[in-house]
Amino acid sequence: MTPKDLLARRAPAEVRAPQPADPGPAWCEGAETVGTAESALPPDPAEEAVGAAGSPATARAADRTPRHPDSDRAGSAHPDDDHPTPAQPNSDAAGSARPDGEHPVPAHPHDHHPAALTVSGPGPAPGRPAAPDPQEGPRPMATASPEPQAHGTRPPAGGARASAPAPGGAPRPARTPGTAPARSVPRHKVAVLGAHLGGGMLAAILARAGIDTVLVDSPHDADVPAGETTVPYTAEVFELLARRYDVPELSALGHFGELPEDVRRTSGVKRSIGFVYARPGTRVRPHQVVQFNVPSEHGESHLYRPDVDAWVHRLAVRHGAKAAPNRPVLTEVTGEAGDFVVELADGSAVGAEFVVDMSGPDAPLLDRLGPEPALRPLRHSSRVLTAHLRGVRPLERRVDPGAGGTPWTGGTTQVVFPGGWMQLVPFGEDRTGEGALTSVAVSLDAKQWPQRSASPEEDFQHLVRQFPDLAWQFAEASAVRPWASAESWQYAATRTVGDGFVVLDRSAVRCDFTLSRDVTLTAELVHEAAAHLIAAARDGDWSAERFRPLETFQATLIEHGERLLRSALTATSDFRLWNAFCRVWLLHSMFAALSLKRARNDALATGDRPDQWRELGRHRGAGLWFPVYAGFVALFDDTDRLLRQVADQRLAPGAAAERIFGQLRTASFVPPLFGFGDPADRYYNFTPLKRLKVLLWAKRRAPHLVQRVLTPGATVLPSVER
């Protein structure tokens, strides 16, 4: 069953989406102007209190477990930390080479963790002929590097109740409803459905905490390109996962140079985020481009997901997660809370007390949340076209990045046009040639860009013919991974918690690829879910009520994503408005990254106090769940309000743009040397000299709370800085 079919089956009238948590003080809720928010802040303290000294990150406790959710937070409870029973050593060798020839995981200090069930490679089970992966399509020429196969064994179509194919993917195996079969199956504490980036990270964290976890492949794990590009804020969430849950390898997802060599080779470092504004029928104007060059310390990534997901799966197994031999995909979940059975395509099964369903758009546990699947379309509900291509000409040959810019192929490029955008993500070490692999994801407002052909490739060709520069760029491109398309691409579940299970991540929401929202949301949800699951395992409480705060947290992030993408779509109507909007987005991402880094380091500096992570998990507004300066939230809210007025035709795009630029010029927390308030300053380059000037500005003129974020020496222990 496709997401479109699921959305057509409306939930009962009484079902309502979980309401976002109480944002707290009014100045965090959404001030009309940034000035209002800043005037409501308490005065700067005369002297910053020094926190209790803690041990450096390298000497932190090896096993930490968040505690029961706080009872003093309205609608935003979050677990604190405690100490679980550590996993017992096992003599089986961890990280050894797999029989399918995949690269072993590099040596790591935690090699003593329990070995998983025998895990074989992504090929077919013994006795079954190999079948080509339908995702890969025609192979490239012999002179080009072949695109590695996505993992997972996909069952053949057929059966009386086989579901319709998901967008771009294979049909789901037939389901056989009923109770758990009366046979002996391996039993586990938690089953994570979905062996992709999110599921693999969560399984690794749970296993590292000593929880008996099984990771199960889903038919939809590699349906479409997703989560292929990161931003500095995403990197900080990955770093938080690594530090808080003591799975240090996860930090490599945010620091490209730390990824295994084979993953780096097929992925790519992301040096810039570029926006090129295009209008139908005309060439791109030189002054209608904006480029942000990413600070080098983050080493942002283009993640080639087949290889990244396979690496994270191996990482989860290495930390103790179990996986079925040959990785058969799930077909059905039977049984009930405390006694679930996950049926697999090869006829085997695994059991679990609790299930985290991250399997995809027709998640089996959605059916248990009511008489009808509780999915709803998002307010930003566009149609999406995706593919992996070769032969894409480098855009810098046609559109000059300008004197202050760098080649577009060095990073992620968003080609923005009225009613939509196209994201270009080049992979591999050499991305300047036409033989490079490029991920293309197009998001279109169906009202402005109705479907022209039943073939997604023909629909794409019709689109690019409207733009001379795009027509030139894709003139000789061919698909390596076939084109996929979907109407009403974005969806969200209105309920996500049931007895003995939670529906999370891609089973609960599918958002747009732009601005890295998809991979960022995945990392945020894994961080929050891990805290609740580890605490529940410690207390033995797997009740639905125990996970209501997680349901609310997920709903809050979905709401933020809706606002962000709705604002972005409105901003595409005029370059002046997009020029203003993308600066607010960048500032929001920058300070979110810096604020999360500060919150993480402050928590690490406290040692192993029970409330060590108390400040992470509270809703602060604008999608932020950690201490943050109120002016950032107010700026985002005010920009959103102005863009809603533009969408309702109550405000002209140019007038809204000028008001946003005015906020950027006058806000006390915006470093003046970057020129965020100057529409003509369209290149952001964070040079060492600018870094020094920002530190001087932060110490002398910035508000105190901003100073704490921007000044490295503000932490108690500099050794926990990264």
Side-chain angles (χ1 to χ4, degrees), residues 6 9 17 26 41 100 165 171 181 244 296 312 319 349 393 439 455-456 464 498 502 509 537 553 557 587 650 668 696:
L6 290 169
R9 298 168 59 189
L41 289 171
D100 60 327
R244 178 172 183 177
S296 59
V312 174
H319 277 284
R393 292 169 172 167
S439 173
S455 164
V464 298
V502 60
V509 58
F553 181 87
L557 292 186
L587 194 67
R650 293 183 288 122
S668 66
L696 293 175

Side-chain angles (χ1 to χ4, degrees), residues 9-93:
R9 298 168 59 189
R10 298 293 185 219
E14 67 271 18
V15 176
R16 296 291 184 268
Q19 295 300 309
D22 182 0
W27 50 262
C28 280
E29 193 170 32
E32 290 297 307
T33 64
V34 176
T36 302
E38 294 194 280
S39 65
L41 289 171
D44 290 352
E47 186 173 312
E48 180 71 11
V50 178
S55 59
T58 55
R60 66 186 184 278
D63 294 279
R64 296 193 190 93
T65 304
R67 299 186 61 181
H68 198 14
D70 301 325
S71 59
D72 59 339
R73 296 177 193 168
S76 187
H78 188 68
D80 291 331
D81 281 353
D82 201 348
H83 300 277
T85 301
Q88 296 301 314
N90 190 291
S91 59
D92 292 344

Side-chain angles (χ1 to χ4, degrees), residues 566-589:
R566 181 191 60 201
S567 295
L569 183 62
T570 301
T572 63
S573 62
D574 187 288
F575 173 73
R576 295 169 296 176
L577 192 54
W578 183 268
N579 193 16
F581 164 80
C582 69
R583 295 161 192 257
V584 173
W585 168 78
L586 176 67
L587 194 67
H588 181 278
S589 180

Side-chain angles (χ1 to χ4, degrees), residues 267-271 302 394 409-411 426-433 436:
S267 295
V269 67
K270 172 179 175 177
R271 296 184 175 87
H302 287 168
T409 49
F427 295 116
E429 297 173 339
D430 180 13
R431 293 176 284 174
T432 59

Side-chain angles (χ1 to χ4, degrees), residues 183-266:
R183 71 180 192 272
S184 177
V185 298
R187 305 297 304 175
H188 306 278
K189 182 69 68 175
V190 176
V192 178
L193 311 184
H196 43 73
L197 177 63
M201 291 193 301
L202 183 60
I205 291 169
L206 297 181
R208 177 70 183 92
I211 299 172
D212 182 12
T213 303
V214 61
L215 180 59
V216 181
D217 287 71
S218 159
H220 299 299
D221 286 345
D223 277 350
V224 293
E228 298 179 317
T229 176
T230 67
V231 292
Y233 172 58
T234 321
E236 289 301 332
V237 183
F238 286 139
E239 185 71 20
L240 175 64
L241 290 171
R243 298 292 191 93
R244 178 172 183 177
Y245 298 116
D246 199 24
V247 185
E249 300 96 330
L250 292 180
S251 68
L253 292 165
H255 299 270
F256 182 79
E258 298 177 9
L259 286 168
E261 191 277 332
D262 58 316
V263 177
R264 295 199 309 271
R265 185 175 60 251
T266 55

Side-chain angles (χ1 to χ4, degrees), residues 289-438:
V289 298
V290 182
Q291 189 180 76
F292 304 126
N293 288 285
V294 180
S296 59
E297 69 265 23
H298 292 105
E300 300 308 320
S301 307
H302 287 168
L303 302 175
Y304 181 66
R305 287 296 298 273
D307 287 354
V308 171
D309 289 6
W311 173 67
V312 174
H313 186 280
R314 297 195 300 270
L315 179 64
V317 170
R318 182 170 173 191
H319 277 284
K322 311 302 190 298
N326 300 310
R327 298 179 59 178
V329 298
L330 72 94
T331 58
E332 181 59 281
V333 178
T334 59
E336 57 188 12
D339 190 24
F340 286 110
V341 174
V342 181
E343 304 285 348
L344 304 177
D346 65 354
S348 64
V350 294
E353 294 181 25
F354 190 88
V355 175
V356 182
D357 192 338
M358 306 171 72
S359 61
D362 60 346
L365 292 180
L366 275 175
D367 295 335
R368 301 189 181 217
L369 291 173
E372 296 291 333
L375 286 181
R376 63 179 177 88
L378 299 186
R379 282 172 288 179
H380 171 74
S381 190
S382 59
R383 63 191 191 92
V384 170
L385 309 171
T386 63
H388 281 176
L389 306 178
R390 291 195 190 274
V392 178
R393 292 169 172 167
L395 188 58
E396 55 264 25
R397 297 183 191 170
R398 180 81 170 188
V399 178
D400 188 356
T406 57
W408 302 113
T409 49
T412 304
T413 303
Q414 298 277 148
V415 180
V416 180
F417 45 84
W421 44 72
M422 178 187 300
Q423 177 174 275
L424 305 175
V425 179
F427 295 116
E429 297 173 339
D430 180 13
R431 293 176 284 174
T432 59
E434 295 178 21
L437 182 68
T438 301

